Amino acid sequence: LDLTACRRIDDDGFERLAQCLHIKTLSLADTTISTPCVAKLLSSLQESLSSLNLTRCANVDGRALGSALRSCRKLRLRSLRLRATPGVGSEFLLALRSSTNIRPAIEVLDVSECRAVDDSAIFEMFHVPFGFAVDSDDESVRITDILPSYRFDALLQLNLKGTGVTGGGISMFASYAPALQELDVSSCPRVNRECIERIVDSCDGLTGLSLNGCSDLTNDSIQALAPVGKTLVKLNAEGCPRISNTGMRALARSAPNLTALSVAFTSVSDAGIVFLGGLKHLRVLSLKGLVGVTAHGLRSLASGGSRLELENLNLSGCRNVCDRACAALEQLSSLSRLSLHDCVDVSEAGVRKLVSSLARLESLNLRGCSRIRESVLCELLRTHALRVLGCDHAVTGAVRELKDARKYHSGGAAGPSNPNGGSRRSPPARSPLLNGRESSELEEALLQHQLMLDELRPPRASPTHSASLSSSPALAAHDGALFSRSSSSFSSSSSSSRRRRRRRCQSAAAPIHLPASPL
């Protein structure tokens, strides 16, 4: 049962769920439920409930929740998500550890953004003196061999993102979770090579690791992942500026089975991208914000025998990506999602050729591509089966009308059945708003729409002129009602472009007006 963000349900309504004795999965994220109400639900559903989500429940206190969990002797939760839940700290972790029915069974634990979860809470949880270290020359001796064992034997996913836990607390928790497969320590302070070494030493079956924002990581930290390289399939190293091309070389050698990789906002350049061409199983790659990535590096991902079967590629903020880079991407025939956000050197010709070459492309982000005109975006929406087209002009007349037409046609329903299984999408069709209109008519309507906006909203008006406009209630009301969503898109139009559009509109045989309903 998923009641996420149902804020109009109060405790009286939630208490009625106690009558549903067979609920196994319950999501109450972002609701107003209180701690006493949660305790009643846990007591009533303890024999069936296996998954509980209390993310961002501001009225739930972590300390009282721990007591409620400990009192439910038959409760065997397998998933517990408490992201940004107030009061989750040392007392809650102690209650979780002492719960002999939950601790051995839990598989997913999310305490992200709980700032009270820090090193002292982790050490206290396992009855370890704060700052304790193993004093032995024997590398085979682990901390769990010396101190009492409170192991989380079934824990597979642990999320400590945004907590106050440092490298010592993370490695301590990992020591008591030998089956851990996915670990998220994004934005945790002082995560360095020593921490990585202790994590991989304790969790030899690690498959996913998120290190987003761990600025202390270096290329040596990437090399320390070698013991789990064969099992690692997901790695997020976004926002680690000290990781460079040397780290990519080590990663390509030690982790050949990676399927998802993010090196956004690092120091990786073309020389490092070349090494990624050897990751044959890579499907998702994020190079966001890498100004050193050019057509040369992207060509190495899509040429010859090293061609990757990428499905999702993020090049947002790669300012040196141009039409030559788009030409290199044409060889990635399996690409279905592509982001060129803020790639200002990409032109209309490059985008047209790229989209026509990628038959499987479904999502394209062109926000910030200032050289792409709105008429070209309309053309892409009409002639290609793009489900999403992110662009700066998406709220303006013609593009919005075309997007509404696509939504009207799809209707959120699946297409006709495919004899080979699954379903296939129907070819794009027009809504009733577009019936009888040719592409040239739509472009002419777009020109007149832009001209009308220029007349009603002149750019960079002087204070005197702005005051005169605001003094006319009728014009202000009309302007605010019809064009409030499109003001930012046309605020920078120059007078020369307005004159060109006016001349083109005046040369038309008959003016075409857009329907008023989409605007």
Side-chain angles (χ1 to χ4, degrees):
L1 179 61
D2 188 355
L3 296 177
T4 300
C6 293
R7 290 184 165 273
R8 300 184 65 180
I9 302 179
D10 56 12
D11 284 353
D12 293 337
F14 286 123
E15 287 180 359
R16 298 184 182 181
L17 297 177
Q19 303 174 8
C20 305
L21 301 180
H22 300 288
I23 294 179
K24 295 183 178 180
T25 302
L26 181 60
S27 177
L28 303 175
D30 202 15
T31 60
T32 59
I33 191 170
S34 64
T35 307
C37 186
V38 172
K40 292 180 181 179
L41 289 178
L42 291 177
S43 178
S44 302
L45 306 176
Q46 58 179 309
E47 294 186 3
S48 61
L49 192 64
S50 62
S51 177
L52 179 63
N53 187 350
L54 296 175
T55 296
R56 290 186 298 274
C57 289
N59 296 332
V60 174
D61 181 71
R63 292 175 290 271
L65 178 62
S67 301
L69 291 176
R70 188 163 45 188
S71 63
C72 298
R73 300 297 182 182
K74 297 181 180 180
L75 183 63
R76 295 180 61 85
L77 283 178
R78 298 174 59 186
S79 175
L80 181 58
R81 301 183 184 275
L82 301 172
R83 179 180 181 182
T85 300
V88 174
S90 58
E91 294 184 18
F92 171 81
L93 294 179
L94 281 172
L96 184 63
R97 183 220 55 190
S98 60
S99 178
T100 56
N101 52 312
I102 296 180
R103 175 172 48 80
I106 193 165
E107 299 177 0
V108 179
L109 178 60
D110 183 357
V111 291
S112 58
E113 299 181 19
C114 297
R115 300 302 299 179
V117 177
D118 53 13
D119 283 351
S120 61
I122 298 295
F123 279 83
E124 185 178 355
M125 175 185 184
F126 298 110
H127 281 180
V128 180
F130 184 65
F132 180 87
V134 176
D135 186 12
S136 175
D137 296 331
D138 188 358
E139 296 181 354
S140 63
V141 177
R142 299 184 180 184
I143 192 171
T144 52
D145 299 329
I146 300 176
L147 298 172
S149 178
Y150 299 104
R151 304 195 335 164
F152 289 76
D153 291 322
L155 190 61
L156 301 177
Q157 300 179 25
L158 176 61
N159 192 341
L160 298 173
K161 177 182 178 181
T163 61
V165 182
T166 65
I170 294 169
S171 55
M172 173 64 67
F173 206 139
S175 299
Y176 284 88
L180 195 63
Q181 295 181 358
E182 297 185 17
L183 176 62
D184 190 344
V185 293
S186 301
S187 304
C188 290
R190 295 195 295 277
V191 176
N192 50 26
R193 173 170 181 165
E194 181 182 357
C195 175
I196 298 297
E197 289 176 345
R198 295 185 63 178
I199 290 174
V200 301
D201 180 59
S202 304
C203 311
D204 51 6
L206 201 63
T207 61
L209 182 60
S210 181
L211 304 169
N212 187 357
C214 298
S215 56
D216 290 339
L217 293 178
T218 63
N219 293 326
D220 292 339
S221 305
I222 298 297
Q223 294 175 0
L225 292 173
V228 295
K230 300 297 182 181
T231 61
L232 196 64
V233 295
K234 298 179 182 179
L235 177 62
N236 183 356
E238 180 176 341
C240 302
R242 300 172 67 181
I243 295 178
S244 62
N245 300 329
T246 305
M248 295 302 97
R249 179 172 58 184
L251 187 64
R253 292 176 179 176
S254 61
N257 298 319
L258 278 177
T259 60
L261 174 64
S262 175
V263 289
F265 300 109
T266 61
S267 299
V268 177
S269 63
D270 281 343
I273 301 300
V274 173
F275 295 115
L276 300 182
L279 301 176
K280 303 298 182 182
H281 303 283
L282 196 61
R283 297 294 179 267
V284 180
L285 178 61
S286 176
L287 305 176
K288 184 178 180 180
L290 300 186
V291 295
V293 173
T294 64
H296 174 71
L298 296 176
R299 194 176 296 114
S300 65
L301 299 178
S303 60
S306 63
R307 181 183 303 173
L308 298 181
E309 298 296 328
L310 283 177
E311 298 175 0
N312 189 336
L313 179 60
N314 190 344
L315 297 174
S316 300
C318 297
R319 293 303 183 102
N320 290 318
V321 169
C322 56
D323 288 348
R324 289 187 299 174
C326 291
L329 296 177
E330 294 174 8
Q331 303 300 322
L332 299 175
S333 56
S334 60
L335 204 61
S336 61
R337 298 179 64 88
L338 176 63
S339 177
L340 298 175
H341 187 184
D342 279 340
C343 295
V344 294
D345 288 336
V346 175
S347 68
E348 297 173 353
V351 169
R352 281 196 183 100
K353 189 175 180 182
L354 176 63
V355 173
S356 61
S357 302
L358 301 177
R360 300 183 182 179
L361 190 64
E362 297 178 351
S363 174
L364 179 63
N365 187 351
L366 294 175
R367 290 188 181 276
C369 297
S370 54
R371 300 177 63 184
I372 311 297
R373 293 175 300 172
E374 189 173 9
S375 58
V376 176
L377 300 177
C378 292
E379 175 187 340
L380 295 178
L381 278 173
R382 285 195 305 269
T383 58
H384 300 280
L386 291 176
R387 293 182 181 176
V388 180
L389 181 62
C391 60
D392 292 330
H393 310 288
V395 296
T396 60
V399 172
R400 182 180 175 187
E401 184 175 354
L402 286 169
K403 291 173 76 68
D404 289 344
R406 182 65 51 80
K407 291 179 182 179
Y408 175 87
H409 169 68
S410 61
S417 59
N418 192 335
N420 296 328
S423 62
R424 60 179 177 85
R425 283 183 295 139
S426 302
R430 295 180 176 224
S431 71
L433 294 175
L434 301 182
N435 286 336
R437 287 177 176 261
E438 299 297 334
S439 59
S440 58
E441 294 178 338
L442 283 174
E443 293 178 0
E444 194 62 41
L446 172 62
L447 289 173
Q448 294 220 4
H449 172 68
Q450 290 176 333
L451 181 61
M452 180 173 55
L453 286 177
D454 291 338
E455 295 294 338
L456 290 176
R457 188 180 297 277
R460 297 183 181 180
S462 62
T464 306
H465 182 62
S466 300
S468 63
L469 285 178
S470 60
S471 62
S472 176
L475 180 58
H478 180 71
D479 189 17
L482 294 181
F483 308 111
S484 60
R485 297 183 60 188
S486 58
S487 60
S488 59
S489 300
F490 295 94
S491 60
S492 60
S493 298
S494 64
S495 58
S496 60
S497 60
R498 294 199 303 274
R499 287 194 296 271
R500 287 195 297 269
R501 286 197 291 269
R502 186 179 293 108
R503 286 195 296 268
R504 292 180 61 183
C505 288
Q506 291 174 353
S507 62
I512 305 294
H513 295 284
L514 286 173
S517 55
L519 295 176

